[in-house]
């Protein structure tokens, strides 16, 4: 085969810092926007942040309405409801998402389905959907993350649960990427420590998975129409990942311990953005693939810091639970990268005799310190659940192809089994 | 005063690697383009590269014409000629610039003045022009650099000589930024070593100046409409600068020594892109301000590797000649940054006893090795020219405000005087 020689890199424009969210009206007025829909979830709406963002736009001649019924961990039903609302109350000139990945991803779907024909289901990634590509341009979407984790402000994907099929999947297209990411650490003040811990583990895994992902030049040469936003580890994504790990090393524990530590929170916001800019171009692999069934097949686990109500395994937590074992498995494919990542994540840790243990130990030490549950058993799974979990993971071929080491069903089963308990 | 709390970051989308330039037709077809103008200079046109880029677009249903009369070191007259050509033969749906900074900057001006009313002069930066902002969106511009230096593919500025006023100035607006940068190291094969040396020094200075520039949070708080693309050193530009310096440390001498060293050339192409992504958001300061009169007031210097004909000091060379003295002057404002930059640029060099000497020595050693002339006297200037040079520098207030240490006319005169001879 001829090896790939080209990598691609895309990113939203970025406005970062205290007060940045007050300027969105100006930025959208530059795009000619007059009517804007702010998309958020009820919990974030209750902080008053989204309404303040909407009100601040008036000074720039923009009329902004707030839609606050996003579901945390969105479903096809909740996304369809948001799309219906936008169709009924629109047309809009632009969208602003204020919230975590759920709000940003819902706004991406609203943007797609109010500018292009057809139903949500047609656009879902194969094999669940037909992977239809939008034919028409989307509107400007401004993403304003209020949790320091998802990186959804940087990526071209939206993730959702398809209720009938009991599967988590996504829609992925370059046009879904927000035009502008506005990261204002002041909007993150109210994040409970359990949320900081889970969403922070999402940042860690974005950086580690994209850094260890199969490199772009190990794939077969693509024609331009075959290119995907996740092109494999490359010199640009490597840089973002390394810098994100360096910020995390110095700020993550402090941010969980003390939500009022503004410096640590700003660093985590920056790390989330950097990691998003990295994985949004490189891709993620086994830990994220495993996270889909861990979250999707939840039994009765209810995490601290999240809204009461339905059981859930938060996204970042679900990603982290099998990460130590996943990186033990992938070590042999790119040993130097795994060691370097461990050094960046835990600069003061002693080097273990077995270099394959370096990254798993750095992760486990961090996860214990910040209160992540002890393995997938810690969120309610047992040995008997492993076949269903494996089946759910194997559906995420789009992610599994990015593993630096080819991975079979048996390999995944082993990773789940060894992740039942972590310490 | 209230200090700035916000930084901004903008960048073109990037496609990097061998063969990338063959895919431009696909990328522009995604924007709906059918008629495209390729903008280049006669020297680059003679390599056949621009015509190949134009021909490759046909496969995607795009009709592409080549304009090959860009002037190297463009003037207001040469830019007006290009604009007239585009107006006469247009309308076009997109522009593609293939060449060095001259072609890319000319294409930016063509894009501005075929989408917006008025004459070039109105848009020039104050005090030379009125600094008019474009009211209407520009067309997609794809920048394809063929020299590894300018970073023009990443920036929002175009630079030109205004003949009547005998001054170098620019136009700067976020809408001027190319939509896509296509960096294909194969297009750089034919670069003579003198061009590699000069344009490489431009990369070095982009990285060093943006890394040592006045930081964004040392400025007064701006309203959104006051923000400029060059917002000062910030965590994102720092990262690009550091990574560019690391690549240069390992590849610059090799790329000058052997133009066929494909690995060194690819690293320099990447360094140029990274440095452009950094300074395109942070800004540059004294060495670039001094470069304007050094190039603009040229006497009879004719550098190796450039087209015969009119005398010129190539841009990168003109930037580098006062850089060692400029960084001796700015050292005291941000000593730790100057030392770190020297370590990145010359990792194997011994640390001098006086830390202020570290960066100047690293630069001088590099400049001698790659054949940069010995000071401004080496390109024909003497003591008697210094008042005119200083006057030219002081007109570049847009750049001088980014100096980490406030700088007076006398300071600039001293920097020029101590730069007459460098070794």
């Amino acid at each position: 085969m001829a090896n790939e020689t080209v990598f691609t890199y895309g990113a939203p424009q970025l406005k970062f810092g205290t007060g940045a969210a007050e300027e969105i009206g100006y930025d959208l007025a530059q795009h000619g926007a007059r009517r804007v829909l702010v998309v958020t979830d009820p919990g974030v709406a209750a902080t008053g942040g989204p309404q303040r963002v909407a009100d601040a736009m008036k000074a720039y001649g923009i009329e902004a309405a707030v839609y606050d019924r996003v579901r945390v961990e969105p479903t096809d039903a909740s996304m369809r409801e948001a799309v219906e609302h936008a169709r009924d109350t629109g047309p809009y000139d632009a969208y602003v998402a204020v919230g975590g990945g759920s709000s940003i991803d819902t706004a991406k779907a609203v943007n797609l389905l109010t500018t292009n024909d057809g139903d949500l289901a047609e656009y879902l990634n194969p094999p669940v959907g037909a992977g239809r590509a939008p034919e028409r341009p989307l509107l400007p979407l401004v993403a304003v993350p209020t949790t320091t984790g998802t990186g959804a402000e940087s990526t071209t994907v939206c993730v959702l649960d398809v209720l009938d099929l009991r599967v988590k999947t996504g829609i992925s297209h370059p046009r879904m990427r927000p035009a502008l990411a506005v990261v204002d650490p002041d909007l993150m003040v109210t994040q409970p420590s359990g949320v900081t811990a889970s969403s922070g583990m999402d940042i860690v895994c974005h950086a580690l998975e994209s850094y260890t992902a199969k490199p772009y030049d190990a794939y077969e040469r693509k024609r331009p129409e075959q290119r995907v936003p996740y092109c494999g580890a490359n010199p640009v994504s490597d840089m973002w990942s390394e810098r994100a790990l360096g910020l995390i090393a110095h700020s993550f524990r402090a941010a969980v311990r003390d939500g009022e530590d503004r410096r640590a929170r700003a660093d985590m916001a920056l790390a989330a953005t950097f990691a998003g800019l990295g994985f949004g171009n490189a891709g993620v692999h086994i830990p994220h693939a495993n996270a889909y069934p861990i979250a999707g097949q939840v039994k009765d686990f209810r995490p601290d810091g999240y809204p009461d109500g339905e059981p859930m395994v938060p996204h970042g937590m679900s990603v982290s639970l099998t990460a130590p074992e996943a990186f033990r498995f992938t070590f042999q494919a790119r040993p130097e990268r795994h060691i370097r990542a461990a050094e960046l994540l835990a600069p003061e840790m002693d080097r273990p005799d077995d270099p394959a243990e370096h990254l798993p130990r750095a992760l486990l030490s961090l996860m214990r310190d910040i209160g992540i549950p002890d393995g997938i058993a810690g969120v309610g799974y047992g040995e008997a659940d492993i076949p269903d979990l494996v089946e759910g993971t194997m559906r995420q071929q789009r992610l599994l192809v990015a593993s630096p080491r080819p991975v079979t069903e048996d390999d995944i089963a082993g990773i789940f089994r060894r992740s039942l308990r972590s310490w």
Side-chain angles (χ1 to χ4, degrees), chain A:
Chain A
M1 80 174 202
N3 275 68
E4 184 56 81
T5 58
V6 170
F7 70 86
T8 54
Y9 173 67
Q13 311 296 298
L14 175 66
K15 190 174 266 200
F16 185 99
T18 298
E22 293 158 24
E23 301 185 2
I24 294 168
Y26 173 79
D27 293 309
L28 283 176
Q30 296 303 296
H31 287 278
R34 305 297 300 271
R35 279 200 87 220
V36 171
L37 184 65
V38 176
V39 176
T40 191
D41 73 60
V44 173
T47 67
Q51 191 60 51
R52 282 200 306 279
V53 166
D55 291 345
M57 284 192 238
K58 282 191 194 136
Y60 298 95
I62 291 175
E63 179 199 334
V66 177
Y67 174 80
D68 65 2
R69 295 200 303 278
V70 166
R71 188 180 190 280
V72 176
E73 307 293 324
T75 64
D76 53 339
S78 78
M79 284 191 171
R80 281 200 184 90
E81 188 192 328
V83 171
E84 286 307 313
H85 176 90
R87 283 180 176 159
D88 290 349
T89 59
Y92 296 98
D93 306 318
Y95 297 104
V96 176
V98 182
S102 300
S103 294
I104 297 171
D105 281 5
T106 299
K108 288 175 184 170
V110 167
N111 195 4
L112 174 70
L113 292 162
T114 54
T115 52
N116 281 269
D117 302 327
D119 183 69
L120 183 72
E122 298 167 45
Y123 291 93
L124 297 174
N125 291 326
V128 180
R132 178 175 162 181
E135 280 122 42
R136 289 159 51 173
L138 275 64
L139 291 171
L141 166 60
V142 178
V144 189
T146 60
T147 55
T148 52
T150 71
E153 69 279 7
S154 300
T155 68
T156 61
V157 298
C158 78
V159 176
L160 64 155
D161 289 306
V162 180
L163 295 174
D164 285 353
L165 303 175
R166 215 164 167 252
V167 65
K168 220 180 180 70
T169 185
I171 301 173
S172 176
H173 192 275
R175 291 190 183 170
M176 304 253 289
R177 197 191 314 269
L180 174 67
V182 174
V183 184
D184 189 335
D186 270 8
L187 288 174
M188 296 160 184
V189 178
T190 54
Q191 186 168 283
S193 81
V195 176
T196 303
S198 279
S199 60
M201 285 311 300
D202 198 21
I203 310 176
V204 171
C205 290
H206 286 154
L208 291 176
E209 290 173 60
S210 56
Y211 195 59
T212 56
K214 183 171 163 179
Y216 76 98
D217 55 2
Y219 288 86
E220 194 167 355
R221 184 85 162 93
K222 293 182 193 68
R223 293 190 305 276
E225 60 273 24
Q226 295 172 314
R227 298 196 181 286
V228 289
Y230 291 163
C231 67
N234 63 70
V236 174
S237 64
D238 289 348
M239 185 177 61
W240 292 113
S241 299
E242 289 179 6
R243 193 55 65 107
L245 290 171
L247 286 164
I248 288 163
H250 295 102
S251 298
F252 192 2
R253 287 174 175 85
V256 171
R257 202 164 45 230
D258 175 10
E260 299 298 312
D261 182 337
R262 298 176 81 89
R263 161 124 200 204
R265 225 177 35 240
D267 276 358
M268 290 301 284
L270 202 54
T273 306
F274 285 9
L277 290 166
F279 94 85
N281 289 281
V284 286
H285 57 88
I286 300 172
H288 267 76
N290 289 345
Y292 280 70
I294 292 172
Q297 298 173 26
V298 61
K299 301 182 173 189
D300 54 10
F301 183 75
R302 286 176 171 79
D304 287 344
Y306 286 81
D308 291 337
E310 294 168 69
M312 68 178 295
V313 184
H315 175 67
M317 185 186 290
S318 69
V319 170
S320 70
L321 291 170
T322 65
E325 285 301 328
F327 292 120
R328 259 197 197 104
F329 171 78
T330 56
F331 176 81
Q332 63 173 241
R334 308 195 78 187
E336 75 301 335
R337 291 245 157 180
H338 287 69
I339 295 166
R340 177 80 187 124
E343 289 169 348
L344 289 165
L345 183 62
E348 272 128 54
M349 199 178 85
D350 291 334
R351 298 176 78 103
D353 293 335
D354 178 358
E357 288 301 303
H358 201 163
L359 183 54
R361 281 199 204 168
L363 274 170
L364 290 169
S365 153
L366 174 64
M367 289 160 69
R368 282 191 90 143
D369 286 354
I370 62 171
I372 296 293
D374 180 12
I376 59 173
V379 297
Y381 293 104
E383 179 78 38
D385 299 307
I386 290 178
D388 283 351
L389 291 170
V390 171
E391 194 196 328
T393 295
M394 295 311 288
R395 284 190 200 159
Q396 307 301 328
Q397 286 301 321
R398 190 178 62 89
L399 304 183
L400 292 176
V401 294
S403 169
R405 180 179 168 191
V407 57
T408 65
E409 215 168 308
D410 283 352
D411 295 328
I412 294 294
I415 289 168
F416 275 123
R417 195 165 298 114
R418 292 188 297 276
S419 301
L420 281 165
R421 287 288 173 197
S422 295
W423 40 79

